[in-house]
């Protein structure tokens, strides 16, 4: 079930949402450091992070699920957001170079169908980044944040669903090690929590951040060749001519 857009906007306007936006934005930008002349799409509720690319990308747009609702983005100028069915995006094939999925995979009815649609609209060699809640993290266990709603994932589950949708993971990262508690003590030390958690590879990060590339060819299973036994059939051939004075000639059976 999709979250309400009002709740999402309220979260990101608060202190805990501002911390999440800063930490996740840093990790996303580290992977896509240059999107000049590229088309970038945000899926779900990705507008807090699309600001990273709005002045650089050729175009940046956002599609939000109808059950969630939509907000105008960017705040100034013409709106670049739209409502849509995330399994049937209102975009042509191979039209986007980068796709950022936030607050969508965990709340959708079918993660595989959503990713298959992302595969369709990505250009050959296009890149996808998914931000998904970690099932072992604290953020997935507290419904006071958007990451506590829907289905959290393990790394193995995400790998499986990506490969089924013909994506190949190329980079893994985790973020949001700070507890999701809106107290000044935790908020001020969020960067320190992030540094320690990343350095020690601690298992309780709030979210997975996965970058994957579009696989161009569908794998085909190779079956071993089977030998077909030769079928023997009886064939009538003329018999040898009998010696002078013997019985007349006839036919005999032979196997061909």
């Amino acid at each position: 079930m999709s979250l309400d857009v009002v709740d999402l906007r309220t979260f990101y306007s608060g202190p805990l949402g501002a911390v999440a936006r800063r930490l996740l934005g840093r990790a996303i930008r580290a992977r896509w450091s240059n999107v000049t002349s590229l088309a970038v799409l945000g899926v779900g509720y990705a507008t807090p992070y699309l600001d990273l690319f709005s002045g650089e990308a050729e175009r940046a747009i956002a599609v939000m699920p109808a059950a969630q609702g939509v907000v105008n983005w960017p705040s100034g100028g013409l709106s670049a957001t739209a409502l849509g069915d995330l399994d049937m995006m209102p975009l042509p094939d191979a039209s986007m170079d980068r796709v950022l999925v936030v607050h969508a995979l965990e709340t959708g009815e079918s993660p595989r169908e959503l990713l298959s649609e992302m595969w369709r609209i990505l250009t050959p060699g296009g890149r996808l980044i998914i931000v998904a809640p970690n099932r072992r993290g604290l953020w997935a266990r507290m419904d006071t944040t958007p990451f506590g709603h829907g289905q959290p994932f393990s790394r193995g589950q995400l790998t499986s669903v990506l490969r089924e949708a013909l994506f190949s993971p190329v980079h893994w990262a985790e973020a949001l090690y700070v507890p999701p508690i809106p107290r000044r003590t935790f908020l001020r030390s969020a960067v320190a929590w992030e540094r320690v958690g990343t350095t020690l590879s601690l298992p309780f990060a709030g979210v997975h951040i996965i970058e994957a590339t579009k696989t161009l060819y569908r794998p085909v299973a190779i079956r071993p060749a089977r030998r077909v036994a030769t079928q023997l059939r009886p064939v009538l051939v003329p018999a040898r001519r009998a010696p002078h004075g013997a019985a007349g000639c006839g036919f005999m059976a032979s196997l061909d």
Side-chain angles (χ1 to χ4, degrees):
M1 179 179 180
S2 297
L3 295 167
D4 189 89
V5 71
V6 175
D7 295 332
L8 289 163
R9 183 171 56 183
T10 301
F11 169 75
Y12 279 104
S13 63
L16 190 59
V19 168
R21 178 177 182 175
R22 183 171 70 253
L23 297 178
L24 292 179
R26 182 183 303 175
I28 293 168
R29 190 60 169 171
R31 297 306 306 169
W32 294 348
S33 59
N34 185 3
V35 295
T36 304
S37 301
L38 299 180
V40 180
L41 169 68
V43 175
Y45 191 79
T47 51
Y49 309 99
L50 286 181
D51 288 329
L52 299 169
F53 313 111
S54 60
E56 179 182 325
E58 178 188 9
R59 65 182 182 275
I61 59 177
V63 176
M64 301 182 183
Q68 169 190 289
V70 67
V71 294
N72 289 329
W73 178 88
S75 55
L78 298 176
S79 178
T81 60
L83 283 175
D85 186 344
L86 300 188
D87 296 340
M88 294 185 292
M89 303 280 283
L91 295 168
D93 296 353
S95 58
M96 305 305 295
D97 301 295
R98 299 288 185 269
V99 175
L100 175 63
V101 180
V102 186
H103 301 305
L105 193 70
E106 66 270 24
T107 58
E109 295 182 1
S110 174
R112 180 178 179 180
E113 290 183 6
L114 187 149
L115 290 178
S116 295
E117 184 67 359
M118 301 304 103
W119 190 95
R120 181 187 68 81
I121 64 177
L122 271 171
T123 59
R127 295 293 180 105
L128 168 80
I129 283 183
I130 297 175
V131 178
N134 178 11
R135 64 183 302 178
R136 301 175 65 181
L138 294 176
W139 289 70
R141 304 182 185 187
M142 299 181 66
D143 59 4
T144 54
T145 80
F147 297 102
H149 295 262
Q151 175 191 355
F153 294 90
S154 67
R155 183 166 178 167
Q157 289 172 327
L158 287 171
T159 300
S160 177
V161 72
L162 280 167
R163 289 179 176 170
E164 287 177 358
L166 301 181
F167 281 100
S168 178
V170 295
H171 180 78
W172 288 85
E174 284 76 35
L176 301 185
Y177 288 94
V178 62
I181 301 173
R183 294 182 180 178
R184 292 184 179 180
T185 303
F186 293 109
L187 298 179
R188 290 177 178 176
S189 60
V191 175
W193 280 88
E194 207 74 6
R195 186 180 302 113
V196 172
T198 303
T199 302
L200 301 179
S201 298
L202 297 178
F204 55 82
V207 298
H208 298 287
I209 303 175
I210 310 98
E211 183 181 20
T213 185
K214 177 177 179 177
T215 303
L216 297 182
Y217 301 101
R218 186 181 299 273
V220 178
I222 300 177
R223 298 181 180 179
R226 293 184 301 174
R227 297 183 62 185
V228 180
T230 303
Q231 186 177 3
L232 302 179
R233 296 178 300 173
V235 178
L236 296 177
V237 297
R240 294 180 179 179
R241 179 171 297 180
H244 182 72
C249 62
F251 291 88
M252 63 180 295
S254 173
L255 295 179
D256 185 9

